[in-house]
């Protein structure tokens, strides 16, 4: 029997996304955002409120990067969700991480995160109920250490973090238990 839990953000696990931008002075800013996803094969959407420094920076530069946080960098990733760039000017520096300028968009790439998506601002969608930043994916880059023999990201090697909104916990990706577009074929 199922039990009613009330209104909860019950889609989980969520990716732990690191959104990196430059501010108006070229200073690196990174925020932790769990509410984001691929919305087309070449687009990503982020549900971010107007008050985030990151949103202000995206509007200025029309670009951002999205990195997948990993277990090796869990402290910095969590800190990026605790501290606000609006009132912590040395937020990025406190982590000891390294940022380099993207070669494709006007945004930083955090070297320590294993997978990074470089994005140009496609549009900002506002309704009475939400705001979404839509980015056009210009490129995806991955550290060689997380690639398989075919040059694709191997989720089991990556240590990518997931966020559980029920317990406010971080978890790492686990074992493969099936093959998409194949596991259900016998029911077809």
């Amino acid at each position: 029997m199922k039990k009613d839990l009330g209104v909860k953000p019950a889609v989980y696990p969520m990716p732990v996304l690191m959104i990196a931008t430059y501010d108006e002075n070229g200073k690196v800013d990174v925020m932790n955002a769990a509410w984001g996803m691929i919305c087309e094969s070449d687009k990503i959407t982020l549900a971010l409120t107007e008050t985030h420094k990151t949103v202000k920076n995206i509007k200025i530069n029309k670009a951002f990067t999205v990195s997948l946080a990993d277990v090796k960098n869990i402290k910095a990733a969590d800190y990026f969700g605790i501290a606000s760039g609006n009132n912590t000017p040395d937020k990025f520096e406190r982590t000891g991480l390294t940022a380099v300028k993207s070669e494709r968009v006007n945004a930083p790439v955090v070297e320590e995160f294993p997978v990074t998506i470089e994005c140009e601002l496609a549009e900002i969608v506002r309704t009475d109920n939400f705001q979404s930043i839509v980015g056009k994916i210009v490129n995806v880059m991955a550290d060689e250490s997380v690639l398989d023999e075919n040059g694709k990201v191997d989720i089991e090697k990556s240590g990518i973090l997931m966020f559980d909104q029920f317990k406010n916990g971080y978890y790492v990706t686990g074992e493969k238990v099936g093959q998409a577009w194949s596991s259900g074929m016998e029911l077809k």
Side-chain angles (χ1 to χ4, degrees):
M1 175 188 278
K2 291 186 179 179
K3 180 180 176 184
D4 289 339
L5 300 177
V7 178
K8 305 278 184 200
V11 175
Y12 81 101
M14 300 293 287
V16 180
L17 305 174
M18 301 290 106
I19 316 305
T21 59
Y22 289 122
D23 71 8
E24 63 277 3
N25 300 311
K27 189 171 182 66
V28 175
D29 179 61
V30 181
M31 77 170 284
N32 179 328
W35 294 1
M37 65 180 174
I38 296 298
C39 60
E40 288 187 30
S41 61
D42 67 341
K43 305 242 179 2
I44 189 168
T45 184
L46 307 167
L48 304 175
T49 60
E50 197 71 33
T51 58
H52 290 293
K53 179 151 182 63
T54 300
V55 173
K56 296 170 192 167
N57 295 343
I58 290 171
K59 287 179 177 181
I60 291 168
N61 294 296
K62 310 289 189 235
F64 56 96
T65 61
V66 179
S67 294
L68 304 178
D70 63 337
V71 68
K72 293 178 197 170
N73 296 290
I74 192 170
K75 287 180 185 177
D78 189 55
Y79 176 71
F80 288 140
I82 294 169
S84 169
N86 286 319
N87 54 28
T88 310
D90 62 343
K91 177 179 169 181
F92 183 75
E93 290 80 5
R94 288 185 187 197
T95 67
L97 297 181
T98 310
V100 297
K101 186 175 183 335
S102 164
E103 294 180 13
R104 293 167 186 85
V105 298
N106 188 21
V109 173
V110 179
E111 291 284 280
E112 289 80 1
F113 294 130
V115 179
T116 301
I117 305 166
E118 298 167 291
C119 303
E120 294 174 346
L121 177 63
E123 66 180 313
I124 298 175
V125 179
R126 288 183 195 87
T127 72
D128 291 341
N129 296 304
F130 78 98
Q131 174 174 292
S132 182
I133 307 294
V134 180
K136 180 178 183 341
I137 298 170
V138 178
N139 184 50
V140 175
M141 56 176 60
D143 191 274
E144 290 180 10
S145 67
V146 301
L147 299 179
D148 66 14
E149 61 280 351
N150 298 314
K152 295 184 179 184
V153 175
D154 184 334
I155 199 165
E156 293 180 55
K157 287 182 176 181
S158 66
I160 298 297
L161 294 176
M162 299 175 294
F163 174 61
D164 172 3
Q165 297 188 87
F166 284 106
K167 295 183 178 181
N168 291 329
Y170 293 117
Y171 298 84
V172 293
T173 51
E175 69 179 287
K176 183 176 181 179
V177 295
Q179 184 65 39
W181 301 284
S182 179
S183 294
M185 286 304 278
E186 69 182 65
L187 301 176
K188 192 169 180 176

